[in-house]
Amino acid sequence: MRASGKDSDITVGAQVVYRGCMAVVKYQGPLHHASGSWVGVQFADAAEGRNDGSTGGKKYFDGAPNRCLFVRPGNVVPMASSSGGHQSAFSQWQVFDAVSEGEFLKTNELGQTAENIIRSVSGHKLLPKLALKEPGPDYKGPRFSFKDDKTTEEEVNNLTTYLKAPATEPAKKPVHPYYICELLDRTSTLLRKQVTSAVHSLEVPEQGTLVLCGDTHGQLEDLLWVFFKHGPPAPDRVYLMNGDMADRGEQAVEVIAVLCAYKLLYPTSVYMNKGNHEDRLMNLRYGFHEEVRSKYPRHYQSVFDRFQHFFFGLPLATTIGKQVFVVHAGLCRKPVRLNLLDSLDYKRAIPDAPKSNLHDLIFYDLLWSDPQTCPGVGPNPRGGDTISFGPDVTQKFLAMNSLGLVIRSHQVPETVDSAGFPRGFSWHHPFPSDSKVKPLCKAQPGMCLTVFSASNYTGTNANMGGVVLFKGSVGNIEILEHYAQDVSYLYEVEKETADATEKFRAIASHEKAAREKMLTKAVGLMRYQALGELQSMIVRKKQDLFDWFWAMDSDKDLHLKPELWREGCASVLSEDLPWLDIQESLQVVDGSSKLVQYPSFLSRFQIRFRNKMGLHGGFRRAITDRCYQMLLMSDLSMRETFAVLDRNDDGLVSIHEFNEVLSSLGTGMTKPQLQALMKTIVVHGCHPGAGGKLKIEDFLSRLQLKYSSTHAKCATVAQEWVPTFLNKVAKDILQVVQKNAKRAEEMVLQSTAPIGYLTEFFNGCDLDKNGYLEQMEFIRALRVLPCCKNLTEEQLNQLASYCDIDENGRINYLEFLHTFHVEDSSGSELSEDVLEYVYRVLHFEFTQPMRRAFHALGEVGGKVTAMQFQNVIETVNSLTTPSPLGKDQIQCLVDTLSLDDSGRLDFEDYLGSFEIVDILLDEER
């Protein structure tokens, strides 16, 4: 987020971040062809722009071709290098990261239930392993013979050299899936022989070193950097990876492949603990599944399953020299002895939401907990069922198990260096004066140590990476840090010189320079990332925010004092964010009134469906049409009910009364959706000075059934009269269906899945019930309409032909909707809010459970049929109380799916089509 909300903070010559890219401000001011203030930037690293400093036919500054862009001031973030700025940005980043994981954990229980139901209904069986063939001569990547189930030193060196080579090298492709699967399978077999319990035991080589690494998260550069600085695995050099090798980064496949290759070369020199990201559900959410899918599109499901099988075999913890307990996250909420941990069934998925099962609780805590400064067990900012453990918990665990140190990973360390930037390690829980635990060495300041090996985590944090070295014994501990750069740099250094001393000097110099350069960018990058997370949080909680603001709005004039706005955001979103800074950053306070117009603030952040291939978009029109039809269908009943409520005959009712009426009339919308609709009704329907009351007629008169000219095809000369005449047809359709008001009312009240006016009319015309209106069926229906009684046979044929958009002699339901639709005469706000509600449900509540359920089907290629899609979304919807989507809405989603030639859709593509936008800043020129 920006350091300040003033445009003057962004000056010409300033370094800024825009959409994650570094740029320099070259212009600030107005544009002759666009309103408001603009900033012209030139990108530093790549051709991310669209122009050379010119827009709208006018030159504003001299810039490089296709490297410049004009954007809104609020969408650029100034860079800073101060420690205070970094600490503030890093603190906000941590809050958003914890919130993201917490929301993920909340959906897990729903996803587990949905997955179980789909498995039982579909009779799912695990897919057989797909037999992959060894590649032919065209494959130029590394190969393995696997003689005696081992690798050779030459093969491992070929692998690492290949991975270090620049991506521009000829024929540089991912390692062949055959070798990936063989490495995983053979390493899994080896692990089953070596690791026989949940807690594995290691010793430090007497004449060697044990190197302990924390999270690497798919950052191959860190793993290879560590290998270069401290030496790769060898008979006298043992590596222990403390989990979270997968997700977040882009090269987890390669990280694990390298570790497996070394494991098969030196079986007693590489070991790995399970982290919370060595888990299928986390992989589906945080990137590893997509990484496998993008690298091996033809075989990704088989490859992904091999990785999951491999993860199952990893232990939950490791002891070193019977004195150090190494676990990915932390300790349990209940005191446990090592023999109980040893007995855990660890060859399974991480429990979703442990309740009372002790073994599940222990399993969960070992992979999710964090240390805290205060004593005891407390709630964890990550949310869900996660806990934090205090120094007394650590001391008790160490004492009862005769241990001297807990080493864990799981989070970027909070310790900062002299410049204020995160380090690669952090000590916790100092020894109390009466400690029952003895330190392993004089240099041990605490009972718990965090080590994190992914430097510059996610490309934004500028943190150091750390490793722990045990030299000869557990009492000889050394913590070393690094700052990794692209692996291609290692490739060049190794190619240019064989002298180890010169290599180390070169890499040390480059390491320092690279980090110093990153420090100037880190604040801007983290603020930009935080801005995106904030927007997502606002959209997710938009209804809760509106409810809070409306309740505090005593005048019901849709304005609040800034301090109330900040209080509401803290209460609903997070109390750990600097809301005064955010208020200035987002410029939410009106300059003249000094108040926050909260509907405008909420409407500013939106979720949209933007499929990259333009698929599945038909549901937008279908859902809003269906919603409008339902409301229009209830028009008569609403008028009668409101007349009873409007005792003083002023045409006004309260918002609460209006909501109750809509809920009781079977409008086809769910209770949560009706509540979400109140925002639109309040903002656009409340009568000024009426204390938040709604003028009934303003709402009821806004919906009209009309001919849809925006979706029309070109009329022939003979059909020129048709488009205008179709408005009369639309009005007559409505009158015909409304003839028997009592029957319509009974249908609305009794139906469990109400249908709209257009649906009823269409079904009534479809005499042979084949789902289409043959031309004669449509003409027969037109004849009964008053406006058509005097038309000739030729004119009726012209009407029918015009409505047949694809000219195949019959009209399907979507063509019918394209011809007639219910229109909101007051604007698009109602339809936008209806759609946004559906988007929010699909993206925030349903994506993770649906993804789990789809994978439970075991469909090869990640594609499902429309029927499978419907079964999954109906299952997830039914498990949520109250159900957020109506049956008609789900049917609209299903009916408008874009299927391939085999009748299937790519569900990952569908679920990934939602994006959050700030409509005030979503402009570029």
Side-chain angles (χ1 to χ4, degrees), residues 104 303 361 396 402 407 439 445 447 468 483 495 552 575 579 600 716 721 752 759 799 813 830 925:
F104 167 79
V303 176
L361 278 172
K396 185 171 184 177
S402 302
I407 300 182
M447 297 178 287
V468 181
Y483 192 81
K495 200 165 75 169
M552 294 296 108
E575 296 179 351
W579 288 107
S600 296
T716 64
W721 63 278
T752 57
T759 308
L799 269 174
Y813 182 62
L830 183 60
R925 294 182 186 272

Side-chain angles (χ1 to χ4, degrees), residues 489-507:
Y489 179 76
L490 277 177
Y491 178 81
E492 295 300 327
V493 169
E494 292 175 340
K495 200 165 75 169
E496 289 172 6
T497 175
D499 182 72
T501 303
E502 288 302 314
K503 285 182 184 179
F504 189 79
R505 285 175 180 169
I507 204 170

Side-chain angles (χ1 to χ4, degrees), residues 661-859:
V661 170
L662 287 183
S663 299
S664 68
L665 289 178
T667 56
M669 289 184 284
T670 63
K671 286 186 178 180
Q673 192 165 8
L674 287 171
Q675 187 174 356
L677 195 62
M678 288 302 103
K679 181 175 78 71
T680 309
I681 294 168
V682 165
V683 173
H684 302 286
C686 280
H687 194 57
K693 286 194 171 185
L694 175 72
K695 193 165 186 178
I696 304 166
E697 189 57 35
D698 285 352
F699 178 77
L700 295 179
S701 62
R702 66 188 292 169
L703 299 177
Q704 304 169 13
L705 184 66
K706 299 185 71 176
Y707 157 64
S708 178
S709 58
T710 57
H711 294 268
K713 66 179 184 181
C714 294
T716 64
V717 175
Q719 294 173 330
E720 286 180 345
W721 63 278
V722 173
T724 304
F725 190 82
L726 281 172
N727 275 320
K728 298 179 181 179
V729 173
K731 292 177 182 178
D732 281 359
I733 289 175
L734 186 57
Q735 290 174 1
V736 167
V737 181
Q738 279 185 316
K739 267 186 178 180
N740 191 340
K742 183 173 179 57
R743 183 185 65 82
E745 181 180 355
E746 289 173 352
M747 179 188 67
V748 171
L749 291 173
Q750 294 173 6
S751 175
T752 57
I755 57 175
Y757 281 125
L758 295 178
T759 308
E760 184 183 7
F761 185 81
F762 183 91
N763 289 338
C765 298
D766 183 15
L767 299 179
D768 57 9
K769 304 304 178 188
N770 66 348
Y772 295 91
L773 297 187
E774 308 299 335
Q775 186 156 324
M776 291 311 299
E777 287 179 324
F778 188 48
I779 290 174
R780 186 181 294 111
L782 291 175
R783 284 198 181 104
V784 304
L785 300 178
C787 66
C788 295
K789 286 185 176 179
N790 296 323
L791 294 182
T792 65
E793 196 69 24
E794 182 181 359
Q795 289 174 318
L796 288 171
N797 276 297
Q798 289 173 351
L799 269 174
S801 297
Y802 184 79
C803 296
D804 179 11
I805 295 173
D806 57 13
E807 299 179 350
N808 63 354
R810 59 185 186 179
I811 300 169
N812 63 37
Y813 182 62
L814 289 180
E815 286 178 319
F816 188 70
L817 285 184
H818 281 172
T819 306
F820 304 102
H821 77 292
V822 184
E823 183 180 271
D824 184 354
S825 59
S826 299
S828 61
E829 296 88 0
L830 183 60
S831 65
E832 288 172 355
D833 278 5
V834 168
L835 281 173
E836 186 181 61
Y837 171 82
V838 175
Y839 294 163
R840 286 206 309 268
V841 169
L842 290 174
H843 182 58
F844 292 116
E845 297 181 39
F846 282 13
T847 288
Q848 192 60 25
M850 286 178 67
R851 181 177 279 126
R852 287 188 64 167
F854 285 140
H855 280 275
L857 292 169
E859 292 297 318

Side-chain angles (χ1 to χ4, degrees), residues 125-287:
K125 294 181 180 179
L126 290 176
L127 290 171
K129 287 184 178 180
L130 187 62
L132 292 169
K133 295 180 180 180
E134 194 166 0
D138 291 341
Y139 172 68
K140 304 302 181 184
R143 294 175 181 268
F144 298 90
S145 61
F146 297 113
K147 184 179 180 181
D148 299 324
D149 286 329
K150 298 189 69 175
T151 56
T152 67
E153 187 172 355
E154 181 183 4
E155 290 170 341
V156 176
N157 288 338
N158 287 341
L159 170 65
T160 56
T161 301
Y162 180 79
L163 296 177
K164 292 173 191 173
T168 54
E169 288 277 311
K172 181 70 180 287
K173 295 180 179 179
V175 178
H176 195 278
Y178 169 80
Y179 294 119
I180 294 294
C181 290
E182 288 297 315
L183 285 168
L184 291 169
D185 288 348
R186 293 169 192 269
T187 306
S188 294
T189 300
L190 179 58
L191 282 172
R192 283 197 298 272
K193 296 175 182 177
Q194 292 180 328
V195 180
T196 57
S197 62
V199 181
H200 188 56
S201 297
L202 285 180
E203 297 292 335
V204 179
E206 289 185 9
Q207 303 299 319
T209 304
L210 189 151
V211 183
L212 171 58
C213 296
D215 300 28
T216 51
H217 275 300
Q219 297 186 189
L220 178 65
E221 61 270 25
D222 281 283
L223 180 67
L224 297 182
W225 208 267
V226 169
F227 283 179
F228 180 84
K229 294 188 73 171
H230 307 296
D236 62 346
R237 191 180 302 112
V238 177
Y239 272 81
L240 172 59
M241 310 300 296
N242 196 23
D244 277 14
M245 297 161 282
D247 286 331
R248 307 282 194 179
E250 298 178 350
Q251 292 183 287
V253 168
E254 290 76 14
V255 166
I256 297 169
V258 168
L259 291 169
C260 289
Y262 270 111
K263 177 74 175 172
L264 295 177
L265 176 62
Y266 302 118
T268 59
S269 295
V270 177
Y271 294 91
M272 293 160 270
N273 280 344
K274 188 196 300 283
N276 64 313
H277 282 268
E278 274 68 62
D279 181 76
R280 182 172 64 93
L281 301 182
M282 295 295 282
N283 298 159
L284 292 175
R285 169 66 174 82
Y286 287 101

